[in-house]
Each structure stands twice: as C-alpha cells, then as structure tokens.
Amino acid sequence: LSLQLTHTMKILVIDDNPVHRQSAHDQLTPLGHELTIVDRFYAGEEAIKNNHYDVVMTDMLMPEEQVVDTYFSPFDPRPKHEKISYEAVPNTEVPYGMFMVFLAATYGVKHIVLLSLGNHHDNRMISALARATRKDLQDVEIFTLNGSKVYLSHNPHGDQKKWDVALERLMSS
C-alpha cells in the first residue's frame, strides 16, 4: 500500500464473520495500527461510547440482537440502574452497519468505513447499498456526515474484505 503511517491510528472493526475479523487483523496490524475488533453492533456501540477511535470500520449486515438480561424494573426497590446484555438471534441479518455509520459520526469519529461483500441479489439492503455506492461501476466519492469522512464500499465479487485498501482510500481522499 502507498499509505504511509504518520501516526498509529486507533481503529475499531465491527464484523460478525470470524474470517473477516481475522483478515482485518492480518491487514491492519502490520501497518502499525492499534485495533479493537468486535463481532456485534451493541459491542461496537459500547466501544465507541467508552473510547476514542480515529477510524471505525464496520460490516453492513450483522445478526439481530435481543435483550437477554436487564436489572431495571419500575417495581424493583434497588437503585435505578440498568445493565443490559445482548445475544445474537440465529439466522437473522439486520443492516446495523448503516446505523453504526450514523452512531460513529454522532460520537465524533472522524473517519468511517462501511465495507460489504453481501450479495445484492439476495438482500434488499445490500441492493440499496450497491445502488448508493455505484456510479458507472465506480465507487462513489467519499462524503462527509456530521464532520466525519465516510466511505461506503460494496464489493459483491470478492471473498475477502480489503480493509487495508478501504482505509487507504478513505485516508488519501
């Protein structure tokens, strides 16, 4: 890659697929970046709320999550505080990645990538993403959202995400 590190960046990667999480590690760690890698939307949300990241890179589709445990009830005499845990709902996919883009921009993350390999013939949200990111079969330009640079990338023909290429594209724009 032509991207030269001027400083180590703190990067959050959110992807439910273990192969893609490993490829993010394998592609971004040699570039000298500090990575946090999580597998679900709500884990990513917690990470963004509790840490500062230079870059958030997220998958588009992730398993739906449901609340499995809460310790707050209006009828509970204990002090009012809430502890919620989530678990993935098997065989479901929700376009959490789009919402992660908005969430990261809201929390002031300056560089955001949404990276998808989904099949636009099988999923309506991926089809919409493909339409939003293609102009004459080229990726659209990076845009700004709430002061954050955002890169939406959809590559339905690959079998491995190119995290390093997406990062280079975003940072060189």
Side-chain angles (χ1 to χ4, degrees), residues 47-103:
I48 289 172
K49 286 181 176 179
N50 295 313
N51 298 281
H52 167 78
Y53 292 98
D54 301 300
V55 180
V56 168
M57 305 181 85
T58 185
D59 184 23
M60 171 70 154
L61 297 175
M62 291 176 256
E64 181 179 351
E65 296 182 67
Q66 65 183 2
V67 175
V68 294
D69 199 12
T70 182
Y71 295 103
F72 171 76
S73 165
F75 308 107
D76 193 333
R78 294 178 291 179
K80 291 186 179 188
H81 72 292
E82 194 171 353
K83 175 163 177 39
I84 298 175
S85 60
Y86 301 91
E87 72 179 24
V89 178
N91 303 313
T92 62
E93 288 189 317
V94 176
Y96 281 132
M98 290 301 294
F99 299 100
M100 185 56 67
V101 168
F102 297 129
L103 182 72

Short mmCIF file of all heavy atoms in Angstrom, two decimals, residues 47-103:
data_model
loop_
_atom_site.label_atom_id
_atom_site.label_comp_id
_atom_site.label_asym_id
_atom_site.label_seq_id
_atom_site.Cartn_x
_atom_site.Cartn_y
_atom_site.Cartn_z
N ALA A 47 -18.11 0.22 22.63
CA ALA A 47 -16.72 0.61 22.39
C ALA A 47 -16.62 2.07 21.98
O ALA A 47 -15.76 2.81 22.48
CB ALA A 47 -16.09 -0.29 21.31
N ILE A 48 -17.50 2.52 21.11
CA ILE A 48 -17.48 3.91 20.65
C ILE A 48 -17.81 4.87 21.79
O ILE A 48 -17.20 5.92 21.94
CB ILE A 48 -18.44 4.12 19.46
CG1 ILE A 48 -17.87 3.44 18.21
CG2 ILE A 48 -18.69 5.60 19.20
CD1 ILE A 48 -18.82 3.41 17.05
N LYS A 49 -18.78 4.49 22.62
CA LYS A 49 -19.19 5.35 23.73
C LYS A 49 -18.09 5.50 24.78
O LYS A 49 -17.98 6.52 25.43
CB LYS A 49 -20.43 4.79 24.41
CG LYS A 49 -21.70 4.99 23.63
CD LYS A 49 -22.87 4.40 24.40
CE LYS A 49 -24.18 4.64 23.71
NZ LYS A 49 -25.32 4.06 24.46
N ASN A 50 -17.27 4.46 24.94
CA ASN A 50 -16.30 4.43 26.04
C ASN A 50 -14.86 4.65 25.63
O ASN A 50 -13.97 4.59 26.48
CB ASN A 50 -16.43 3.09 26.79
CG ASN A 50 -17.78 2.97 27.46
OD1 ASN A 50 -18.24 3.88 28.11
ND2 ASN A 50 -18.43 1.84 27.25
N ASN A 51 -14.59 4.87 24.34
CA ASN A 51 -13.22 5.04 23.85
C ASN A 51 -13.20 6.09 22.75
O ASN A 51 -14.22 6.41 22.17
CB ASN A 51 -12.68 3.72 23.28
CG ASN A 51 -12.63 2.63 24.31
OD1 ASN A 51 -11.73 2.59 25.12
ND2 ASN A 51 -13.62 1.75 24.29
N HIS A 52 -12.00 6.56 22.45
CA HIS A 52 -11.82 7.45 21.30
C HIS A 52 -11.19 6.62 20.18
O HIS A 52 -10.16 5.98 20.38
CB HIS A 52 -10.90 8.62 21.63
CG HIS A 52 -10.45 9.34 20.41
ND1 HIS A 52 -11.26 10.23 19.74
CD2 HIS A 52 -9.30 9.27 19.70
CE1 HIS A 52 -10.63 10.67 18.68
NE2 HIS A 52 -9.43 10.11 18.63
N TYR A 53 -11.79 6.64 19.00
CA TYR A 53 -11.24 5.95 17.83
C TYR A 53 -11.00 6.96 16.73
O TYR A 53 -11.80 7.86 16.51
CB TYR A 53 -12.19 4.85 17.33
CG TYR A 53 -12.29 3.71 18.29
CD1 TYR A 53 -13.35 3.62 19.19
CD2 TYR A 53 -11.31 2.74 18.35
CE1 TYR A 53 -13.45 2.59 20.09
CE2 TYR A 53 -11.39 1.69 19.26
CZ TYR A 53 -12.45 1.62 20.12
OH TYR A 53 -12.53 0.60 21.03
N ASP A 54 -9.90 6.78 16.02
CA ASP A 54 -9.62 7.59 14.83
C ASP A 54 -10.45 7.10 13.65
O ASP A 54 -10.85 7.89 12.80
CB ASP A 54 -8.13 7.51 14.46
CG ASP A 54 -7.25 7.99 15.59
OD1 ASP A 54 -7.40 9.16 16.00
OD2 ASP A 54 -6.43 7.18 16.08
N VAL A 55 -10.69 5.79 13.60
CA VAL A 55 -11.40 5.17 12.48
C VAL A 55 -12.33 4.10 13.02
O VAL A 55 -11.95 3.32 13.91
CB VAL A 55 -10.41 4.51 11.49
CG1 VAL A 55 -11.15 3.87 10.31
CG2 VAL A 55 -9.36 5.50 10.99
N VAL A 56 -13.54 4.03 12.47
CA VAL A 56 -14.45 2.91 12.69
C VAL A 56 -14.69 2.27 11.34
O VAL A 56 -15.03 2.96 10.37
CB VAL A 56 -15.78 3.35 13.34
CG1 VAL A 56 -16.81 2.22 13.29
CG2 VAL A 56 -15.56 3.79 14.78
N MET A 57 -14.51 0.95 11.27
CA MET A 57 -14.74 0.18 10.05
C MET A 57 -15.77 -0.90 10.39
O MET A 57 -15.56 -1.68 11.31
CB MET A 57 -13.44 -0.45 9.56
CG MET A 57 -12.33 0.57 9.35
SD MET A 57 -10.79 -0.15 8.73
CE MET A 57 -11.15 -0.16 6.96
N THR A 58 -16.88 -0.92 9.65
CA THR A 58 -17.97 -1.81 10.01
C THR A 58 -18.51 -2.59 8.82
O THR A 58 -18.48 -2.12 7.69
CB THR A 58 -19.11 -1.02 10.70
OG1 THR A 58 -20.13 -1.93 11.14
CG2 THR A 58 -19.73 0.01 9.77
N ASP A 59 -19.01 -3.76 9.12
CA ASP A 59 -19.75 -4.58 8.17
C ASP A 59 -21.15 -3.99 8.03
O ASP A 59 -21.61 -3.25 8.90
CB ASP A 59 -19.81 -6.01 8.72
CG ASP A 59 -20.48 -7.00 7.79
OD1 ASP A 59 -20.52 -6.77 6.57
OD2 ASP A 59 -20.97 -8.03 8.30
N MET A 60 -21.84 -4.32 6.96
CA MET A 60 -23.21 -3.85 6.76
C MET A 60 -24.22 -4.71 7.51
O MET A 60 -25.01 -4.21 8.29
CB MET A 60 -23.53 -3.85 5.25
CG MET A 60 -24.98 -3.59 4.93
SD MET A 60 -25.47 -1.92 5.28
CE MET A 60 -26.81 -1.77 4.14
N LEU A 61 -24.21 -6.01 7.25
CA LEU A 61 -25.21 -6.91 7.83
C LEU A 61 -24.63 -7.68 9.00
O LEU A 61 -23.57 -8.29 8.89
CB LEU A 61 -25.73 -7.89 6.78
CG LEU A 61 -26.45 -7.29 5.59
CD1 LEU A 61 -26.79 -8.37 4.57
CD2 LEU A 61 -27.70 -6.54 6.02
N MET A 62 -25.35 -7.67 10.11
CA MET A 62 -24.95 -8.42 11.30
C MET A 62 -26.18 -9.06 11.91
O MET A 62 -27.31 -8.62 11.65
CB MET A 62 -24.29 -7.48 12.31
CG MET A 62 -22.93 -6.97 11.85
SD MET A 62 -22.23 -5.78 12.99
CE MET A 62 -22.54 -4.27 12.09
N PRO A 63 -26.00 -10.09 12.73
CA PRO A 63 -27.16 -10.75 13.33
C PRO A 63 -27.98 -9.78 14.19
O PRO A 63 -27.43 -8.92 14.87
CB PRO A 63 -26.55 -11.84 14.21
CG PRO A 63 -25.19 -12.05 13.68
CD PRO A 63 -24.75 -10.73 13.12
N GLU A 64 -29.29 -9.96 14.12
CA GLU A 64 -30.17 -9.21 15.02
C GLU A 64 -29.79 -9.56 16.45
O GLU A 64 -29.40 -10.69 16.75
CB GLU A 64 -31.62 -9.59 14.75
CG GLU A 64 -32.61 -8.86 15.59
CD GLU A 64 -34.05 -9.23 15.28
OE1 GLU A 64 -34.30 -9.94 14.29
OE2 GLU A 64 -34.91 -8.81 16.05
N GLU A 65 -29.92 -8.60 17.33
CA GLU A 65 -29.60 -8.84 18.73
C GLU A 65 -30.84 -8.56 19.58
O GLU A 65 -31.62 -7.68 19.28
CB GLU A 65 -28.45 -7.94 19.20
CG GLU A 65 -27.16 -8.25 18.47
CD GLU A 65 -26.01 -7.40 18.97
OE1 GLU A 65 -25.60 -7.57 20.12
OE2 GLU A 65 -25.56 -6.55 18.19
N GLN A 66 -30.97 -9.35 20.63
CA GLN A 66 -32.09 -9.15 21.54
C GLN A 66 -31.58 -9.01 22.97
O GLN A 66 -30.53 -9.52 23.31
CB GLN A 66 -33.07 -10.31 21.44
CG GLN A 66 -32.51 -11.65 21.91
CD GLN A 66 -33.49 -12.78 21.72
OE1 GLN A 66 -34.57 -12.59 21.21
NE2 GLN A 66 -33.11 -13.97 22.16
N VAL A 67 -32.36 -8.28 23.76
CA VAL A 67 -32.02 -8.13 25.18
C VAL A 67 -32.28 -9.46 25.86
O VAL A 67 -33.34 -10.06 25.70
CB VAL A 67 -32.89 -7.03 25.83
CG1 VAL A 67 -32.64 -6.96 27.32
CG2 VAL A 67 -32.64 -5.71 25.16
N VAL A 68 -31.30 -9.95 26.59
CA VAL A 68 -31.48 -11.21 27.31
C VAL A 68 -31.45 -11.03 28.82
O VAL A 68 -31.80 -11.93 29.55
CB VAL A 68 -30.43 -12.26 26.90
CG1 VAL A 68 -30.62 -12.67 25.46
CG2 VAL A 68 -29.02 -11.77 27.14
N ASP A 69 -31.03 -9.88 29.29
CA ASP A 69 -30.93 -9.68 30.73
C ASP A 69 -31.01 -8.21 31.06
O ASP A 69 -30.30 -7.41 30.49
CB ASP A 69 -29.60 -10.25 31.23
CG ASP A 69 -29.60 -10.51 32.72
OD1 ASP A 69 -30.69 -10.48 33.32
OD2 ASP A 69 -28.52 -10.75 33.25
N THR A 70 -31.89 -7.85 31.93
CA THR A 70 -31.96 -6.46 32.38
C THR A 70 -32.21 -6.46 33.88
O THR A 70 -32.92 -7.32 34.40
CB THR A 70 -33.03 -5.67 31.62
OG1 THR A 70 -33.00 -4.33 32.09
CG2 THR A 70 -34.42 -6.23 31.81
N TYR A 71 -31.59 -5.52 34.57
CA TYR A 71 -31.70 -5.44 36.02
C TYR A 71 -32.46 -4.20 36.45
O TYR A 71 -32.35 -3.77 37.57
CB TYR A 71 -30.31 -5.44 36.66
CG TYR A 71 -29.58 -6.72 36.43
CD1 TYR A 71 -28.58 -6.82 35.48
CD2 TYR A 71 -29.92 -7.86 37.15
CE1 TYR A 71 -27.92 -8.00 35.25
CE2 TYR A 71 -29.27 -9.05 36.93
CZ TYR A 71 -28.27 -9.11 35.98
OH TYR A 71 -27.63 -10.29 35.76
N PHE A 72 -33.23 -3.62 35.58
CA PHE A 72 -34.00 -2.44 35.93
C PHE A 72 -35.48 -2.76 35.77
O PHE A 72 -35.90 -3.31 34.77
CB PHE A 72 -33.64 -1.26 35.04
CG PHE A 72 -34.59 -0.10 35.24
CD1 PHE A 72 -34.47 0.70 36.35
CD2 PHE A 72 -35.58 0.16 34.33
CE1 PHE A 72 -35.34 1.74 36.56
CE2 PHE A 72 -36.46 1.21 34.52
CZ PHE A 72 -36.33 2.01 35.64
N SER A 73 -36.22 -2.44 36.77
CA SER A 73 -37.66 -2.60 36.72
C SER A 73 -38.27 -1.50 37.56
O SER A 73 -37.76 -1.17 38.64
CB SER A 73 -38.06 -3.97 37.27
OG SER A 73 -39.45 -4.00 37.55
N PRO A 74 -39.37 -0.92 37.12
CA PRO A 74 -40.01 0.12 37.94
C PRO A 74 -40.51 -0.44 39.28
O PRO A 74 -40.74 0.31 40.22
CB PRO A 74 -41.17 0.61 37.08
CG PRO A 74 -41.35 -0.38 36.01
CD PRO A 74 -40.06 -1.14 35.87
N PHE A 75 -40.62 -1.76 39.37
CA PHE A 75 -41.10 -2.38 40.60
C PHE A 75 -39.97 -2.86 41.50
O PHE A 75 -40.20 -3.38 42.58
CB PHE A 75 -42.02 -3.56 40.26
CG PHE A 75 -43.10 -3.18 39.31
CD1 PHE A 75 -43.07 -3.58 37.99
CD2 PHE A 75 -44.16 -2.36 39.73
CE1 PHE A 75 -44.07 -3.21 37.10
CE2 PHE A 75 -45.15 -1.99 38.85
CZ PHE A 75 -45.12 -2.41 37.53
N ASP A 76 -38.75 -2.71 41.04
CA ASP A 76 -37.58 -3.17 41.78
C ASP A 76 -37.17 -2.11 42.81
O ASP A 76 -36.98 -0.96 42.46
CB ASP A 76 -36.43 -3.41 40.79
CG ASP A 76 -35.28 -4.18 41.41
OD1 ASP A 76 -35.09 -4.09 42.64
OD2 ASP A 76 -34.57 -4.85 40.66
N PRO A 77 -37.05 -2.48 44.09
CA PRO A 77 -36.69 -1.50 45.12
C PRO A 77 -35.21 -1.08 45.07
O PRO A 77 -34.83 -0.12 45.71
CB PRO A 77 -37.01 -2.22 46.43
CG PRO A 77 -36.89 -3.67 46.09
CD PRO A 77 -37.31 -3.80 44.65
N ARG A 78 -34.37 -1.81 44.32
CA ARG A 78 -32.96 -1.45 44.22
C ARG A 78 -32.80 -0.12 43.51
O ARG A 78 -33.71 0.32 42.81
CB ARG A 78 -32.18 -2.54 43.46
CG ARG A 78 -32.12 -3.86 44.21
CD ARG A 78 -31.39 -4.90 43.40
NE ARG A 78 -32.20 -5.26 42.22
CZ ARG A 78 -31.83 -6.12 41.31
NH1 ARG A 78 -30.67 -6.72 41.39
NH2 ARG A 78 -32.61 -6.40 40.29
N PRO A 79 -31.65 0.54 43.67
CA PRO A 79 -31.43 1.81 42.95
C PRO A 79 -31.62 1.61 41.46
O PRO A 79 -31.32 0.55 40.90
CB PRO A 79 -29.97 2.14 43.26
CG PRO A 79 -29.66 1.38 44.50
CD PRO A 79 -30.52 0.15 44.48
N LYS A 80 -32.12 2.66 40.82
CA LYS A 80 -32.42 2.57 39.39
C LYS A 80 -31.14 2.65 38.57
O LYS A 80 -30.54 3.70 38.45
CB LYS A 80 -33.38 3.67 38.98
CG LYS A 80 -34.75 3.47 39.56
CD LYS A 80 -35.71 4.49 39.03
CE LYS A 80 -37.08 4.22 39.64
NZ LYS A 80 -38.10 5.02 39.07
N HIS A 81 -30.73 1.55 38.08
CA HIS A 81 -29.64 1.49 37.12
C HIS A 81 -29.97 0.33 36.19
O HIS A 81 -30.77 -0.54 36.52
CB HIS A 81 -28.29 1.29 37.80
CG HIS A 81 -28.08 -0.08 38.36
ND1 HIS A 81 -28.79 -0.57 39.43
CD2 HIS A 81 -27.25 -1.07 37.99
CE1 HIS A 81 -28.39 -1.80 39.70
NE2 HIS A 81 -27.47 -2.14 38.84
N GLU A 82 -29.38 0.35 35.06
CA GLU A 82 -29.73 -0.63 34.05
C GLU A 82 -28.48 -1.34 33.58
O GLU A 82 -27.47 -0.72 33.32
CB GLU A 82 -30.39 0.10 32.88
CG GLU A 82 -31.09 -0.80 31.94
CD GLU A 82 -31.93 -0.02 30.92
OE1 GLU A 82 -32.04 1.21 31.05
OE2 GLU A 82 -32.43 -0.65 30.01
N LYS A 83 -28.56 -2.65 33.54
CA LYS A 83 -27.49 -3.45 32.95
C LYS A 83 -28.17 -4.36 31.95
O LYS A 83 -29.02 -5.16 32.30
CB LYS A 83 -26.75 -4.26 34.00
CG LYS A 83 -25.73 -5.19 33.38
CD LYS A 83 -24.74 -5.67 34.39
CE LYS A 83 -23.75 -6.65 33.84
NZ LYS A 83 -23.25 -6.43 32.53
N ILE A 84 -27.78 -4.21 30.70
CA ILE A 84 -28.41 -4.99 29.64
C ILE A 84 -27.34 -5.81 28.95
O ILE A 84 -26.24 -5.35 28.71
CB ILE A 84 -29.09 -4.06 28.61
CG1 ILE A 84 -30.19 -3.25 29.30
CG2 ILE A 84 -29.65 -4.85 27.45
CD1 ILE A 84 -30.84 -2.23 28.40
N SER A 85 -27.68 -7.04 28.64
CA SER A 85 -26.79 -7.84 27.80
C SER A 85 -27.59 -8.28 26.58
O SER A 85 -28.81 -8.31 26.60
CB SER A 85 -26.24 -9.04 28.58
OG SER A 85 -27.28 -9.87 29.03
N TYR A 86 -26.87 -8.59 25.53
CA TYR A 86 -27.50 -8.91 24.25
C TYR A 86 -26.96 -10.24 23.74
O TYR A 86 -25.84 -10.62 24.03
CB TYR A 86 -27.17 -7.84 23.20
CG TYR A 86 -27.63 -6.46 23.59
CD1 TYR A 86 -26.80 -5.60 24.29
CD2 TYR A 86 -28.90 -6.04 23.25
CE1 TYR A 86 -27.23 -4.33 24.64
CE2 TYR A 86 -29.34 -4.77 23.60
CZ TYR A 86 -28.51 -3.93 24.30
OH TYR A 86 -28.93 -2.68 24.64
N GLU A 87 -27.78 -10.91 22.97
CA GLU A 87 -27.29 -12.10 22.27
C GLU A 87 -27.83 -12.08 20.85
O GLU A 87 -28.89 -11.51 20.58
CB GLU A 87 -27.69 -13.38 23.00
CG GLU A 87 -29.14 -13.74 22.93
CD GLU A 87 -29.46 -15.05 23.65
OE1 GLU A 87 -28.72 -15.45 24.56
OE2 GLU A 87 -30.48 -15.65 23.28
N ALA A 88 -27.09 -12.70 19.97
CA ALA A 88 -27.47 -12.73 18.56
C ALA A 88 -28.65 -13.67 18.36
O ALA A 88 -28.75 -14.71 19.00
CB ALA A 88 -26.29 -13.21 17.71
N VAL A 89 -29.54 -13.28 17.49
CA VAL A 89 -30.67 -14.12 17.09
C VAL A 89 -30.21 -14.93 15.89
O VAL A 89 -29.83 -14.35 14.87
CB VAL A 89 -31.91 -13.27 16.73
CG1 VAL A 89 -33.05 -14.16 16.27
CG2 VAL A 89 -32.32 -12.40 17.91
N PRO A 90 -30.18 -16.26 16.00
CA PRO A 90 -29.67 -17.09 14.90
C PRO A 90 -30.43 -16.86 13.59
O PRO A 90 -31.63 -16.60 13.58
CB PRO A 90 -29.88 -18.52 15.40
CG PRO A 90 -30.01 -18.41 16.88
CD PRO A 90 -30.62 -17.06 17.14
N ASN A 91 -29.70 -16.95 12.50
CA ASN A 91 -30.26 -16.89 11.14
C ASN A 91 -30.98 -15.58 10.82
O ASN A 91 -31.96 -15.58 10.09
CB ASN A 91 -31.18 -18.08 10.89
CG ASN A 91 -30.47 -19.40 11.11
OD1 ASN A 91 -29.37 -19.59 10.61
ND2 ASN A 91 -31.09 -20.29 11.85
N THR A 92 -30.49 -14.48 11.39
CA THR A 92 -31.06 -13.17 11.06
C THR A 92 -29.93 -12.24 10.64
O THR A 92 -28.79 -12.41 11.07
CB THR A 92 -31.78 -12.54 12.27
OG1 THR A 92 -30.84 -12.33 13.32
CG2 THR A 92 -32.92 -13.42 12.76
N GLU A 93 -30.26 -11.29 9.80
CA GLU A 93 -29.31 -10.26 9.42
C GLU A 93 -30.04 -8.92 9.38
O GLU A 93 -31.12 -8.81 8.81
CB GLU A 93 -28.69 -10.54 8.05
CG GLU A 93 -27.72 -11.68 8.06
CD GLU A 93 -26.97 -11.78 6.75
OE1 GLU A 93 -27.59 -11.65 5.68
OE2 GLU A 93 -25.74 -12.00 6.81
N VAL A 94 -29.44 -7.94 10.03
CA VAL A 94 -30.01 -6.60 10.12
C VAL A 94 -28.95 -5.63 9.60
O VAL A 94 -27.76 -5.83 9.85
CB VAL A 94 -30.37 -6.29 11.60
CG1 VAL A 94 -30.88 -4.88 11.75
CG2 VAL A 94 -31.38 -7.29 12.12
N PRO A 95 -29.34 -4.57 8.90
CA PRO A 95 -28.35 -3.63 8.36
C PRO A 95 -27.80 -2.68 9.44
O PRO A 95 -27.83 -1.47 9.31
CB PRO A 95 -29.14 -2.87 7.30
CG PRO A 95 -30.55 -2.90 7.80
CD PRO A 95 -30.70 -4.24 8.46
N TYR A 96 -27.27 -3.25 10.51
CA TYR A 96 -26.72 -2.46 11.60
C TYR A 96 -25.57 -1.56 11.14
O TYR A 96 -25.31 -0.53 11.75
CB TYR A 96 -26.20 -3.36 12.72
CG TYR A 96 -27.25 -3.93 13.64
CD1 TYR A 96 -27.25 -5.29 13.95
CD2 TYR A 96 -28.21 -3.13 14.24
CE1 TYR A 96 -28.18 -5.83 14.82
CE2 TYR A 96 -29.14 -3.65 15.10
CZ TYR A 96 -29.13 -5.01 15.40
OH TYR A 96 -30.05 -5.53 16.26
N GLY A 97 -24.87 -1.94 10.10
CA GLY A 97 -23.73 -1.15 9.64
C GLY A 97 -24.10 0.28 9.28
O GLY A 97 -23.36 1.21 9.59
N MET A 98 -25.25 0.47 8.63
CA MET A 98 -25.68 1.82 8.29
C MET A 98 -25.88 2.65 9.55
O MET A 98 -25.51 3.82 9.61
CB MET A 98 -26.97 1.80 7.46
CG MET A 98 -26.79 1.27 6.06
SD MET A 98 -25.59 2.18 5.05
CE MET A 98 -26.39 3.76 4.90
N PHE A 99 -26.45 2.04 10.57
CA PHE A 99 -26.69 2.76 11.81
C PHE A 99 -25.39 2.99 12.58
O PHE A 99 -25.24 3.99 13.27
CB PHE A 99 -27.73 2.02 12.65
CG PHE A 99 -29.04 1.94 11.92
CD1 PHE A 99 -29.41 0.77 11.26
CD2 PHE A 99 -29.88 3.04 11.82
CE1 PHE A 99 -30.58 0.70 10.56
CE2 PHE A 99 -31.06 2.98 11.11
CZ PHE A 99 -31.42 1.80 10.47
N MET A 100 -24.44 2.08 12.41
CA MET A 100 -23.13 2.28 13.04
C MET A 100 -22.43 3.49 12.44
O MET A 100 -21.75 4.24 13.14
CB MET A 100 -22.27 1.02 12.90
CG MET A 100 -20.95 1.11 13.63
SD MET A 100 -21.11 1.47 15.41
CE MET A 100 -21.89 -0.02 15.99
N VAL A 101 -22.60 3.71 11.14
CA VAL A 101 -22.04 4.90 10.49
C VAL A 101 -22.59 6.15 11.17
O VAL A 101 -21.84 7.06 11.55
CB VAL A 101 -22.35 4.91 8.98
CG1 VAL A 101 -22.04 6.27 8.36
CG2 VAL A 101 -21.57 3.81 8.27
N PHE A 102 -23.91 6.22 11.34
CA PHE A 102 -24.53 7.38 11.99
C PHE A 102 -24.07 7.52 13.43
O PHE A 102 -23.79 8.63 13.90
CB PHE A 102 -26.06 7.29 11.94
CG PHE A 102 -26.62 7.30 10.54
CD1 PHE A 102 -27.51 6.34 10.14
CD2 PHE A 102 -26.24 8.27 9.62
CE1 PHE A 102 -28.04 6.34 8.87
CE2 PHE A 102 -26.76 8.28 8.33
CZ PHE A 102 -27.67 7.31 7.96
N LEU A 103 -24.02 6.42 14.14
CA LEU A 103 -23.60 6.44 15.55
C LEU A 103 -22.16 6.94 15.68
O LEU A 103 -21.87 7.80 16.52
CB LEU A 103 -23.73 5.04 16.15
CG LEU A 103 -23.39 4.91 17.62
CD1 LEU A 103 -24.47 5.56 18.48
CD2 LEU A 103 -23.26 3.45 17.99
#
